[in-house]
Each structure stands twice: as structure tokens, then as C-alpha cells.
Amino acid sequence: MTLTEYRRKRNFKRTPEPRGRRTVGHPQLSFVIQKHAASHLHYDFRLELDGVLKSWAVPKGPSLDPAAKRLAMQVEDHPVEYGSFEGIIPQGEYGGGTVMLWDQGTWESVGDAKRDYLAGRLKLVLHGEKLHGGWMLVRKGGRRTEGTERHWWLFKERDEFAEPDVDIVAQLPLSVTTGRDLDGIAAQADRVWGAAGEMSAKQHSAHGRRATPARRKAIPSSTRQVVKKYKPKVANRKQLQKELRRLAPKRAALPQLPLVELATLAKQAPTGDQWFHEIKYDGYRMLCRIDGKDATFISRNGKNWTSQFPELAQAAAQLGLKSGVLDGEVVALDAEGRTSFQKLQNAFQGGLTGQLVFYVFDLLFVDGYDLTADVLEDRKKLLHYVVQDTSRGPLRYSEHLIGDGPKFLSEACRMKLEGIICKRRDRAYISGRGKDWLKVKCSLREEFVVGGFTFPSGSRSAFGALLVGYYDAKGQLIYAGRVGTGFDDRTLTDLHAQLRKLSQRKSPFVNLSGTTGQERDVTWVKPKLVAQVQFSNWTDNGLLRHPSFQGLRKDKAATEVIHERATSVHEVSTAASNGSHRTGGRRTGKAAATSAPVRQMKSNGPVEVAGIVLSNPDKVLYPADGITKRDLANYYEAVAEWMLPHVENRLLALVRCPDGYDKQCFFQKHPAVGTSDVFKRIAVREKNKTEQYLAINNTAGLVSLVQMGVLEIHTWGSQAARLEKPDRIILDLDPDEGLDWSAVVTAARELRGLLEELGLKTFLKTTGGKGLHVVVPIQRRHSWPQIKEFCLAIADFMTRLAPDRFVATMSKAARRGKIFVDYLRNDRGATAIAPYSTRARAGAPVSVPIAWNELSSRRRSDHFTIHNVPLRLRQLRRDPWAKLAQTQQAITSEMLSRLNNAGKPR
């Protein structure tokens, strides 16, 4: 196409849209996605090519799910200068409606762009504010000839930016340039194609510019005034460098996405000078990643929010750092200077993000140094040299007090603040939820999942009340009550529109029956929205007392919402004495898992799960998280269908911790006196005697292990029927303590590449600890010595390939700073942690099979816990290990020869 069709559809005497001209010579090609509320809402996807914007109308918008192909109807080419427009086209004109700049940036073609476009198969890489990585545009029917279809398909490629579970258009609905929604653009009407033949003079100059690259974001006029009026103090680099030389932290590359440290809910504030106490801010937790003059804001669940805070990104980029990662909270302040979640919501709705403040309370990385292993006291000292302002401007240093937590809490509550955060000053930054950080609240305020709404009554419009709940350990939504106050007229209207789109026939709650009376006059909705609710207490039957709606949380997925159990100061003290102690400025403890506590459900005696009676079901096995024997049994019942194919009829080795993971644990392989008849006994000949081993083949067996206090289930690499012929190889990548997670991710990909070169298909799983297992299914025709020899050859090859990164010996001294390629799990009698087994570690982490395209530096090996695994399984479209059992492959002498000879001098 050319601009002929574009011009034919418009009468330029009545509409002043640019006639446009073909442009040439741009080294970087731009792309833009404009959200267009015309006769039907759609997304206009435009790529600069051959001097114009090639354009497609995508009704549903782009999807990050590679399996979701979006229909893209090709429309006429548009002028390049059209790509900067956001505003209103008057009704009656061609395309009349509101236009939003939903995303913009640059793109590059993988191949010859013009040739591939004509062939109807365009492979591209996007560098946008919201969309990244590989994409495909494929014409239906292939090469286009005159008069053929203009139907195309737009879909995401499988890469690190693919996120099947994320609805990107719903999670990031606002403009990348002004932070407004469609209603805000329509209300402010600062850019209009006027009938008199001109745009609003205020925005006329923007109309003639080509779309700016993602790293040079357009800033709305209100924001430009704020930034011009206030510039943050540049980091005190002299003092910063001096302090860095004193501390000598580890040098490292700037991480893509560090995982955040989370606070555990506590009943009281701790005492003692080992604690720093900070105000608990009521906003959105954010990491700010600074790379030269580019600053990016990333939420705790890994979403890019930079387009929501353009002024904060501008201010952070002006700090003068070469690189850095700041941890803090984006907030809105009321007239008294208190953080207000409701004002934060209003700022987003009204496009007033220039009023927001980023309180920074931690520094994780700066100018080439990884600070996460250094103690909080040192990190905050460095932070104060970076963010020096405390009481004005968009970036502010979060002050702290030392000691006397109860007094500080009392003063915070008197000032009507949400609460305080208490942090151990002598501890490293450890991702996940642990006891080094505590949150103590003045009022009860939590997140809940919206599962339905009632009809309005009286003068109320839109809806009456929200039905809310939280997820339990089995991944079931538990009803927690109705929220009927805290809404203004605008919130009622906007929220009702969102709820109607999510309506469904059945209740998502598992504990509402037709006899409770709670189900009358209710419209059920898919549990996607997360509401922040303030309330006075819990009733005896587990419902909210006096709840009030505070706003929707868009920074947290519904599947993360569970009910927290407050821990006592005594439990904190116990964890401190047994937990992550620090010496010499480096961490020595183990990272806590990224999960929150589950709700304690008391009983009057034994309960039954999967036909197995649990004695003392409320016995706590994971004290810091309140996870009981019943919770663990419910978890294994929920995942049994997925776990049993990898566990049944295999010899077991068990880690039993009858009094909890933090108490005495012991290893068991053989049945003891009183062992349940649910278990199978397998006779195994060893040397000059026969030993009995344990095995299971059903859900009752899994739950019986919980009754025994088993917290880890390990299995042989062969099945009981053919013990001497293993059917899977497990290569364990075990990193040295403190080694960056990205190094493990890279190693796994390299190992996969090596095995694929040998012709072997591989599968992947997390360990629930700090490493990864690369699994190779094989035909049952090799002996244990043959398998072990082959695995040793792999480990030796990787060590020869990169001796500075890999080691093939167990010695801790030799492993320092390296990854141990553990081949020893492939010997007769050796075992490995079973898929979906818990670990005897804080937070109840789980070993989980994942797809190779899920492997990311953003998701560590202890990411999955008993809290999020059942939900993951319910949402998976396909088992990552679906083809493992059907994979028929074997090792050969040629493979062994290639491994042994590769890299050796001839």
C-alpha cells in the first residue's frame, strides 16, 4: 500500500488529519499501538516500513500467550506522523472516537522486512514500553495478490517475554505517554481533530513528530512542569565510591529483575537496637532499575509499570548513577502528608501521576556492585548518598528509627498511619517472606479476591456489595464476607463495568452453599480482581467485621491472595536465634520462600484426608508460616494427579521431621515397626542380604507420608519392576552459596544445548532449593554403571568447557563461586527430590516441573510453594512434562566418545 488509500477515505476540507508524506532515512523503525474507541473498541497496530506506518486493526489487542493467535485486519497505510496522536476524532468523521497511545517504541525485523512483508510472514522484535521480544505477523493464505484477503494473525513467540497467564491489555490499560485512560482522554480533550481544520494549538507541535523510541518517553505537560520545577539532588558519588571501597561488595552485572524481600505479619513490634523501624507506606511496592539514562519501574510480580510513572522515571534517571536498583513504594499523599491508597487510585484515574512520590527504603545494586549480601545498615548508608532528599520532590529517602518498636508503633497509630515495618539492621537482603522483616499494623487492612456482587438497593446505583475471599492451601477460594461501603459514584460505575465483563454462572467460592443465604441476588464473577479492604476484625465464623473498600490492587495477581496469620515476638526471637545469621557482611542463612502464611483452621480431633486419618492435624510443621499437617495433606491431595506418575512404584527415600522442618529431622528408606500397610514393600538384594524398601501407588500413600511427618520425598531413577535399568537421568546444577541465580539459568540452557546436540530431548524442574534439575528420559536398557559413566562425561565436558564456572567434584572448597554439575544422582541407590515434593525449608517450597520457556532469571528455584502450586496446576493449559513418558531415546557409545574427546588436545 501507499498513502493513496488513506487519503481517499478522508475529506481534508472537513478533517485536518495529516495528508502525510512518505519518509526515509530513519535508522530505527518505530512502532505504535493506538487503543481506539471508535464504533468498536480495537487496537491499531502500526509498524514503520518503507516510509509509512503499515497498519492492522486487532480487535482483542495483543496477547503475551504464544498459543493465542489474534486476528489482525490490515487497513490502509498511515503517515508516520500519525503515530504520535492521542486525543479525539469527532463523531461523524472517519474513525470518529477516542484514541490512546497504548504502546510505542522501536522494532526490528528478523530477516528482510520488505520481502517477508510481501510474503505474508513477518517476524519481528519489539522494543516497547509494554511489548517486548519476538512476535509474528502471518497473513492468512500467505503471499498477497491483488484482491486477496487482508486477514492476518498476530501472536507472541515463545521467549523470556512470553507470559501465558498475563492479560497485558487488562493489566496495563493506560496511555504510555500521559498515564490516562480513555475516559480521561475524552474528558480532558487536549488533542482534537477540529472541524475548523486544526488540532488544539496546545498539542499541534506533537502532531508532526514521529513516534518516539521507548527509551525517550513523551512526558505530559503537567509532568514537564513538575520535573522542570524540581530536580532531585544528584547522588553524592564521592562519598558513595568511598563507602563502596570500604565495604568491597561483590561486583556483578546489573540484574534484569531481582526478587523482592517481603515482610511477615507480626502481632507486636519487636524491641532492641538490632531493629530499624520505618513507616509502612500504603501504596504500590516497586523496584526502580536504572541503566544509564534509562529508569524502569517494575512491580513485585515482575510487571513493567514505567508508563504509569513517567515523572518518577524521569527523576530517577536524573540521579546520575551509572546503574542501580532501588527498592521502595510509590504513594500518593493526603493533605496531612499521610499515604493514601484511595488518593493513589484517584491519581491513576485522573491522569495526575505527577503528584506521586517514590519513597526509597533499600538499595540492592549500584554502579556495578551487588549489595544484596551486605547488611541493611550498610545498604541504607549507601542509599542516603544516592537519594538525599527526605521531605520534598518525587524521590524521597525513607527515614528509620532504631529500637523501641512498641513506642514507634504507638506514635504511628496515633497519627492514623497504616502501621510500621521492622527490619533487622544486621541482615542481608533475602528474597521471599522471612522473619528479618516484620509488618505490624495499626488497623486491619488486607487484599481479597472479588468473587461476586449483589444488586443495588435504595439510592445505590451499579451494585450493592462485593463478595470477597482468599485462597487456601488447596488453591480453593474461601468466602470471607461482603464489602458494601467505601465506594463513591465513579468507583461504583467503573468497577461495575469491570465486574460485568467477568460474570459467570457458578460461584467461585467453595464454602458457600444454598442454605447460607449468602448466595441470593448475587452475580458471580471470575476471580480476577483484587480489592484492598479495611476492617475491624474477624468474626468467630471467619468473616470480615465492618469491612470498607479501599481500592483495586493492580500490582498483585489474584492467585497470590491468601490469609495471613500474625506471628508473635517469641516466634520472631526463635527464628532469629535459629535462622539467617550474618557474619562478615555476607549472608550465611538460607533464603525464605516467596509465600505468605496460610490461615490456621482449628479442629477438635483427628480429621480424614484421602481416606487417611491424620492425628493432631493442627500440628505446625512450618512455624514461620503457620503451615500445619492438615495443610500439607490437603496440598498433596490437590497435586496427586500430577505427582503420582513420577512417584508411584519407585523406591522412596524420605526426610521425616515429625516436629517441624526446623527441629530434628532424619532420613528413612526402610519400613519401621508400625509402618502403615498403605505402603508397598519392595525386596531389594544388596550385597549378601535382602532389604525392604518403601513405595506408594496412590493418593492415600502420599497423605500417609504426611501423617509420618515426611517433608521431603526422594525417589530412585528406576521403577521397582526393573530396578537395575533406570528410565531417567537427572543432572543437578548445584550452585555455590551466594552465586547469582542468572548463572544457574545460563548453565541450564547451555546443558540443554549440549544434550540436544547429542540428540537427547530434555525436561526441566526446580528443586525447591537453590538449583535446577535437567531431566533426560531414557529407554530402560542401560545399566547403572553405564548411566553414571555417561553423566560423569557430561560433567567433565562442562568443566573443561568453562573451568571458571563449573566443577565436577563435591568438595565445597573446589565449588567456591562455581556450579557443581552433580552427576552422582545417577548411581544405584542414589535418589533425587521428587516432582511436586515439598522441601524441609522455610516457606514450604516445592520442586516443580517447568517448561523451558518458563526458565527465567525472575523466578528462582524456591519460587513455588504449597500456596501457589495448586493454583498453577489449575491454570496450566498443558503439562510441561506431558511428553516425558512417551520420549523414546537412548545413550550411545558415539555420544560418550564425543563427550570424552571434545576439547582435549590432539
Side-chain angles (χ1 to χ4, degrees):
M1 289 187 186
T2 66
L3 295 179
T4 303
E5 181 72 4
Y6 169 83
R7 291 167 181 155
R8 186 187 69 78
K9 291 186 175 183
R10 290 157 176 83
N11 185 335
F12 292 102
K13 293 181 180 179
R14 293 186 307 185
T15 174
E17 293 173 85
R19 289 185 60 85
R21 57 187 177 84
R22 292 165 65 91
T23 59
V24 293
H26 296 305
Q28 285 189 308
L29 298 175
S30 66
F31 87 89
V32 65
I33 299 178
Q34 289 165 312
K35 189 175 181 180
H36 191 176
S39 57
H40 295 87
L41 179 67
H42 63 277
Y43 293 77
D44 290 316
F45 183 59
R46 310 189 195 279
L47 299 174
E48 181 182 356
L49 183 63
D50 200 19
V52 296
L53 290 177
K54 300 293 182 184
S55 301
W56 293 262
V58 184
K60 293 185 178 181
S63 171
L64 300 183
D65 184 357
K69 292 185 177 181
R70 294 293 200 232
L71 176 65
M73 294 293 296
Q74 189 171 19
V75 298
E76 70 273 14
D77 294 348
H78 281 54
V80 170
E81 56 264 41
Y82 197 98
S84 62
F85 174 64
E86 176 175 286
I88 300 171
I89 303 173
Q91 294 299 326
E93 304 295 345
Y94 181 77
T98 307
V99 178
M100 170 201 291
L101 275 170
W102 185 80
D103 196 15
Q104 64 179 7
T106 60
W107 75 283
E108 54 188 300
S109 173
V110 182
D112 186 312
K114 293 182 182 180
R115 182 195 64 202
D116 293 346
Y117 166 74
L118 291 174
R121 188 174 181 83
L122 190 58
K123 188 173 185 179
L124 50 139
V125 178
L126 299 182
H127 306 287
E129 297 287 337
K130 298 177 181 178
L131 302 186
H132 307 275
W135 292 77
M136 288 291 294
L137 265 170
V138 179
R139 183 187 288 116
K140 185 179 179 181
R143 179 179 290 272
R144 177 179 172 268
T145 58
E146 193 64 33
T148 59
E149 288 281 358
R150 295 185 179 180
H151 292 72
W152 293 62
W153 299 109
L154 172 68
F155 55 92
K156 184 78 186 73
E157 290 205 328
R158 298 184 184 277
D159 59 20
E160 61 181 309
F161 299 105
E163 297 189 77
D165 298 329
V166 174
D167 184 349
I168 187 70
V169 297
Q171 291 213 3
L172 298 178
L174 304 182
S175 164
V176 292
T177 59
T178 63
R180 300 180 295 181
D181 59 12
L182 287 169
D183 291 338
I185 296 168
Q188 292 179 341
D190 54 354
R191 301 182 187 182
V192 181
W193 296 123
E198 293 184 353
M199 287 175 58
S200 165
K202 181 180 178 182
Q203 297 296 336
H204 190 278
S205 60
H207 170 62
R209 293 194 302 268
R210 73 190 292 265
T212 55
R215 294 194 176 200
R216 297 169 58 197
K217 297 175 284 294
I219 305 294
S221 57
S222 61
T223 302
R224 286 198 296 270
Q225 292 170 6
V226 171
V227 174
K228 184 176 181 180
K229 184 168 60 176
Y230 174 82
K231 290 187 177 180
K233 291 182 181 179
V234 175
N236 188 334
R237 297 191 61 81
K238 184 177 180 180
Q239 289 295 328
L240 181 63
Q241 293 300 321
K242 180 180 178 181
E243 193 65 19
L244 284 170
R245 286 194 296 271
R246 181 184 71 83
L247 293 174
K250 181 179 70 173
R251 279 199 168 274
L254 179 65
Q256 285 297 318
L257 182 62
L259 296 177
V260 299
E261 182 160 3
L262 301 173
T264 294
L265 182 64
K267 296 176 182 177
Q268 309 96 8
T271 58
D273 288 346
Q274 70 269 39
W275 293 93
F276 281 177
H277 304 289
E278 301 170 350
I279 291 172
K280 187 180 189 302
Y281 301 111
D282 193 7
Y284 284 165
R285 176 80 174 277
M286 290 285 157
L287 293 176
C288 178
R289 184 180 186 271
I290 300 171
D291 188 359
K293 294 183 179 180
D294 185 25
T296 306
F297 277 83
I298 305 167
S299 69
R300 53 175 278 190
N301 56 351
K303 305 301 181 292
N304 190 328
W305 280 58
T306 312
S307 61
Q308 314 285 54
F309 317 125
E311 47 282 296
L312 294 181
Q314 182 91 343
Q318 293 177 1
L319 287 173
L321 297 179
K322 295 178 182 177
S323 59
V325 177
L326 311 176
D327 191 357
E329 192 105 355
V330 173
V331 302
L333 303 176
D334 63 17
E336 302 297 324
R338 295 182 293 251
T339 60
S340 167
F341 189 75
Q342 208 137 34
K343 280 187 69 68
L344 182 61
Q345 299 292 300
N346 295 339
F348 284 126
Q349 292 174 356
L352 302 175
T353 53
Q355 301 175 358
L356 302 182
V357 172
F358 184 45
Y359 273 106
V360 189
F361 47 68
D362 216 326
L363 181 65
L364 312 187
F365 189 96
V366 66
D367 288 354
Y369 291 98
D370 180 0
L371 306 179
T372 55
D374 292 276
V375 297
L376 175 63
E377 185 165 13
D378 290 336
R379 300 198 307 273
K380 290 213 72 172
K381 186 174 183 179
L382 291 166
L383 175 62
H384 207 189
Y385 295 135
V386 174
V387 182
Q388 302 174 70
D389 294 305
T390 59
S391 60
R392 66 187 187 96
L395 303 182
R396 304 184 187 180
Y397 174 81
S398 178
E399 297 278 11
H400 61 265
L401 294 178
I402 301 174
D404 207 354
K407 185 176 180 180
F408 184 64
L409 174 64
S410 177
E411 184 65 15
C413 295
R414 186 189 67 79
M415 296 173 65
K416 298 182 180 179
L417 302 178
E418 186 186 359
I420 66 173
I421 300 289
C422 312
K423 302 176 181 179
R424 284 291 296 262
R425 65 193 291 185
D426 58 341
R427 296 294 167 85
Y429 189 98
I430 302 176
S431 63
R433 198 178 301 279
K435 295 295 180 61
D436 290 348
W437 289 16
L438 305 175
K439 55 184 176 183
V440 192
K441 297 182 178 182
C442 296
S443 60
L444 292 176
R445 189 177 302 178
E446 293 184 22
E447 293 89 27
F448 293 91
V449 180
V450 180
F453 63 93
T454 63
F455 299 136
S457 61
S459 60
R460 172 70 68 84
S461 61
F463 64 86
L466 301 177
L467 280 73
V468 300
Y470 56 87
Y471 283 102
D472 66 6
K474 293 178 69 174
Q476 301 176 126
L477 192 61
I478 305 300
Y479 176 68
R482 297 188 180 199
V483 183
T485 62
F487 309 100
D488 58 24
D489 290 341
R490 178 171 181 173
T491 302
L492 283 168
T493 302
D494 292 348
L495 185 51
H496 188 231
Q498 295 183 62
L499 292 168
R500 287 172 58 190
K501 295 177 182 177
L502 297 172
S503 64
Q504 63 179 24
R505 289 180 176 273
K506 293 184 178 180
S507 166
F509 302 106
V510 297
N511 59 332
L512 280 186
S513 66
T515 61
T516 63
Q518 298 288 356
E519 295 189 84
R520 290 194 290 270
D521 299 327
V522 172
T523 299
W524 303 114
V525 298
K526 298 174 183 176
K528 300 289 187 182
L529 300 180
V530 177
Q532 181 158 302
V533 178
Q534 183 168 311
F535 56 103
S536 62
N537 214 325
W538 292 90
T539 66
D540 291 340
N541 56 348
L543 299 180
L544 300 175
R545 191 185 298 278
H546 308 133
S548 175
F549 179 79
Q550 301 291 299
L552 289 182
R553 296 206 69 103
K554 297 180 181 178
D555 61 331
K556 176 176 278 192
T559 52
E560 296 180 41
V561 176
I562 57 178
H563 180 50
E564 293 184 276
R565 167 187 172 268
T567 190
S568 67
V569 172
H570 171 72
E571 288 174 316
V572 173
S573 301
T574 302
S577 61
N578 296 327
S580 52
H581 289 296
R582 301 262 293 112
T583 57
R586 290 290 178 268
R587 87 183 77 180
T588 58
K590 296 181 180 180
T594 52
S595 64
V598 296
R599 188 181 182 193
Q600 278 293 99
M601 306 275 292
K602 295 294 182 182
S603 65
N604 296 322
V607 298
E608 187 175 295
V609 178
I612 301 300
V613 175
L614 298 179
S615 60
N616 197 7
D618 295 310
K619 186 173 188 177
V620 178
L621 300 177
Y622 292 87
D625 303 271
I627 297 172
T628 64
K629 183 187 287 188
R630 183 213 307 257
D631 295 327
L632 206 56
N634 287 337
Y635 163 76
Y636 277 115
E637 184 182 33
V639 304
E641 178 184 354
W642 298 73
M643 183 176 183
L644 283 171
H646 309 292
V647 177
E648 60 188 353
N649 297 317
R650 292 182 185 269
L651 304 191
L652 303 179
L654 310 170
V655 176
R656 294 181 60 185
C657 309
D659 296 316
Y661 87 93
D662 56 340
K663 299 296 191 297
Q664 184 176 1
C665 300
F666 56 93
F667 208 66
Q668 179 177 339
K669 295 188 293 184
H670 310 295
V673 177
T675 299
S676 170
D677 291 337
V678 170
F679 299 108
K680 295 175 64 176
R681 273 76 169 172
I682 307 293
V684 178
R685 185 69 180 174
E686 291 185 341
K687 296 181 180 179
N688 298 322
K689 60 180 180 178
T690 299
E691 294 279 4
Q692 296 285 324
Y693 280 79
L694 294 172
I696 59 172
N697 59 5
N698 54 30
T699 306
L702 286 174
V703 177
S704 293
L705 293 176
V706 177
Q707 169 62 14
M708 291 169 57
V710 172
L711 298 190
E712 293 190 6
I713 304 170
H714 298 251
T715 62
W716 280 41
S718 61
Q719 297 185 35
R722 298 184 67 181
L723 281 179
E724 308 307 327
K725 301 294 182 182
D727 62 351
R728 62 182 60 175
I729 291 170
I730 295 181
L731 292 161
D732 182 5
L733 296 175
D734 186 7
D736 182 30
E737 196 75 42
L739 192 65
D740 192 81
W741 172 246
S742 61
V744 186
V745 172
T746 300
R749 289 171 176 159
E750 291 174 345
L751 178 55
R752 180 196 189 192
L754 168 63
L755 292 167
E756 285 186 343
E757 282 188 25
L758 295 174
L760 295 173
K761 185 176 178 59
T762 59
F763 296 82
L764 183 68
K765 76 179 177 75
T766 66
T767 64
K770 54 186 174 68
L772 289 168
H773 283 173
V774 176
V775 181
V776 184
I778 54 170
Q779 295 175 348
R780 294 186 293 181
R781 66 189 200 193
H782 308 288
S783 66
W784 283 112
Q786 289 174 318
I787 294 296
K788 185 178 179 181
E789 181 186 11
F790 177 73
C791 294
L792 174 59
I794 292 173
D796 283 343
F797 175 84
M798 296 190 71
T799 303
R800 292 198 306 274
L801 183 72
D804 58 325
R805 295 166 51 214
F806 300 112
V807 65
T809 61
M810 291 185 64
S811 166
K812 289 196 173 183
R815 200 188 309 188
R816 188 167 296 119
K818 300 178 183 180
I819 296 173
F820 172 36
V821 185
D822 186 355
Y823 65 94
L824 298 172
R825 299 189 181 279
N826 303 281
D827 199 359
R828 189 182 190 278
T831 61
I833 190 71
Y836 302 107
S837 169
T838 55
R839 303 303 303 268
R841 299 167 181 256
V846 176
S847 174
V848 176
I850 61 174
W852 277 104
N853 63 6
E854 292 182 278
L855 180 62
S856 168
S857 58
R858 296 179 295 177
R859 180 182 284 173
R860 301 179 69 89
S861 192
D862 59 0
H863 169 79
F864 295 108
T865 72
I866 70 165
H867 299 302
N868 56 26
V869 168
L871 292 170
R872 166 184 165 80
L873 298 182
R874 285 169 55 188
Q875 295 169 355
L876 272 180
R877 290 184 174 88
R878 183 181 181 187
D879 181 357
W881 282 17
K883 295 183 178 180
L884 186 142
Q886 289 76 43
T887 301
Q888 297 294 311
Q889 55 191 8
I891 61 176
T892 65
S893 56
E894 181 186 357
M895 293 179 188
L896 191 61
S897 177
R898 287 176 62 186
L899 288 169
N900 287 332
N901 295 324
K904 291 183 178 180
R906 297 183 178 181

